[in-house]
Amino acid sequence: MRFALRAGLLGALTLTAMLAQAGGVKTDDESVYRPTGKGYGELDDSPGAFARWKAATKGSPTTNGINYHGGPVMLGTNKIYYIWYGNWTGNNAPAILTDFAQNIGGSPYFNINTAYYNGSNAHVSNSVLYGGYANDNYSQGTSLSDAQIQTVVANAITTGALPKDTNGVYFVLTSADVTASSGFCTQYCGWHTHGTIDGSDIKYSFVGNPDRCPSSCAAQTTSPNGNAGADGMASIIAHELEEAVTDPDLNAWYDRRGYENADKCAWTFGTESTASNGSKYNMTLGSRQYLIQRNWVNASGGYCDVKYP
Ligand SMILES: [Zn+2]
């Protein structure tokens, strides 16, 4: 997720113009981009890239604005694990975001991901469970490199604080005094990737606390659950989760600019309602209201929405 896309929040740019600006990529040439998991594509300028792209997407429908590249998707019931990194004392983010993890599965919103499938036409399911949490008391300090974020995940698994689950997505959630040195608040608000941990391919994500940089990473300063950082994180967690299940190894579903499904709708919310405290929300999951960015529907030509069908 790249924060620059927040320009769209201001309504100054249409979605199309916003994406064109964010990508800065012509699509009428033979440029091919691959996803980074951080919300932007990376130019594949190696020889034969366009021919390989054509071969990899052969047979994949191109009419919905996103292509299948042959890699796995996450099938069956998937699990959300949280690693609360830093100091969360006195912050009710754990209550809000645990609720969120317990209610996103089965929702009309997460059902969008069921329009994504693998080479055997097996579709992502709308089954997501909350798997539990671990705490990490600054084991890697307050400025985390990408490698240290993987270490945080690996430590939670190898110490037994969390189970090793190849159907899991492990979210490293950092308190507002912690940053990620590859670009939290300046290049992205969160990202997802995968790595080999204890011999298994483990999917994980970094999501920072937008309280550190609300103008970059929070959609609003008064939020439905009265905690702008936590409400901002809910939207980012949703984004990274849906990208993880449809593109866990960065070789399944993305477009020619390297945009994964949620990237194509980042920081757009559709129809908004007003909560009792004056904040905006666009969905209710369980007993709470949230303002969650839309996701790309891989059907009917492709479009952003908060539900499918
Ligand atoms: Zn993304």
Side-chain angles (χ1 to χ4, degrees), residues 12 27 41 63-64 82-83 89 94 100 114 143 147 177 208 241 249 260 270 280-281 301:
T27 52
T63 52
N64 292 333
Y82 287 154
I83 301 168
T89 304
F100 181 73
T114 67
S143 178
D177 55 339
L241 178 66
D249 294 343
E260 298 171 304
K280 300 295 184 186
Y281 71 98

Side-chain angles (χ1 to χ4, degrees), residues 1-2 37-40 190-192 239-240 243 260 262-263:
M1 159 168 296
R2 189 179 197 180
K38 288 180 169 142
Y40 44 90
W191 47 258
H192 77 99
H239 175 119
E240 303 306 336
E243 291 181 345
E260 298 171 304
D263 293 330

Side-chain angles (χ1 to χ4, degrees), residues 237-254:
I237 289 168
H239 175 119
E240 303 306 336
L241 178 66
E242 50 213 11
E243 291 181 345
V245 297
T246 58
D247 195 29
D249 294 343
L250 311 181
N251 60 4
W253 286 94
Y254 55 91

Side-chain angles (χ1 to χ4, degrees), residues 5-12 18 215 218-220 267-269 272 291:
L5 289 170
R6 258 204 90 205
L9 275 181
L10 305 176
M18 191 175 75
S215 64
Q220 52 189 348
W267 298 104
T268 74
F269 301 94
E272 298 176 11
L291 184 64

Side-chain angles (χ1 to χ4, degrees), residues 83 136 140 147-159 162-163 169-172 197 202-206:
I83 301 168
D136 186 315
Q140 311 297 309
Q148 286 176 308
I149 289 165
Q150 179 165 325
T151 297
V152 168
V153 177
N155 286 347
I157 292 172
T158 56
T159 61
L162 291 175
V169 182
Y170 296 79
F171 288 90
V172 177
I197 293 175
I202 296 296
K203 277 68 74 177
Y204 64 96
S205 167
F206 162 81

